[in-house]
Amino acid sequence: MKIGVISDTHGLLRPEAVQRLAGVAHIIHAGDIGRREVIECLGLIAPVIAIRGNVDTADWAASYPATRTFELGGRSIHVVHDVHDLALDPRAGGIDVVISGHSHQPRIETVDGVLYLNPGSAGPRRFSLPVTLAILELSESGVRPVIHDLPLAR
């Protein structure tokens, strides 16, 4: 099962992101959505699981939780916008994957058997950081994350 993982769109859903996400079974948005329309457009690609980030303060964002734990493809996934706000022990809680955003810096790291994935930012470019998202493949044999740089139109 292929899962699209995106974060920090800040109201901008790039056509390059839409193209890269085509064909995924689900999309996870790790917060700083920016505008309701971002989730509506992502929902045309695949079902979306989203949390709110620190910029998601408008009334439309109130229905999104600050964190969420769920199961997809037989794996337990916890989503929190800022990994520094992680308020549980993922390993003790049986969590396989922790997804976060906020830093705009893509990251793939495994700690104590738990995969930590930050897809980076797919929204407006910040400083010299790349514009990225991730695809997370879930299978019986394991999880395989890949960070994708988005080729931006000039």
Side-chain angles (χ1 to χ4, degrees), residues 1 11 38 41 76 91 131:
M1 173 184 289
V38 169
C41 290
S76 180
R91 185 173 181 201
V131 177

Side-chain angles (χ1 to χ4, degrees), residues 14-94:
R14 296 173 179 277
E16 299 87 355
V18 171
Q19 184 177 14
R20 175 56 73 176
L21 293 169
V24 300
H26 291 274
I27 297 171
I28 299 170
H29 196 304
D32 280 1
I33 301 162
R35 293 184 316 135
R36 170 192 353 239
E37 293 81 9
V38 169
I39 299 300
E40 292 170 357
C41 290
L42 289 173
L44 298 174
I45 301 168
V48 179
I49 297 169
I51 62 164
R52 70 177 180 273
N54 55 288
V55 305
D56 299 321
T57 58
D59 290 342
W60 63 265
S63 63
Y64 294 96
T67 66
R68 191 156 175 199
T69 303
F70 52 91
E71 190 171 302
L72 277 178
R75 305 293 175 170
S76 180
I77 300 171
H78 182 76
V79 186
V80 59
H81 182 60
D82 184 346
V83 74
H84 295 107
D85 293 334
L86 186 62
L88 54 81
D89 177 348
R91 185 173 181 201

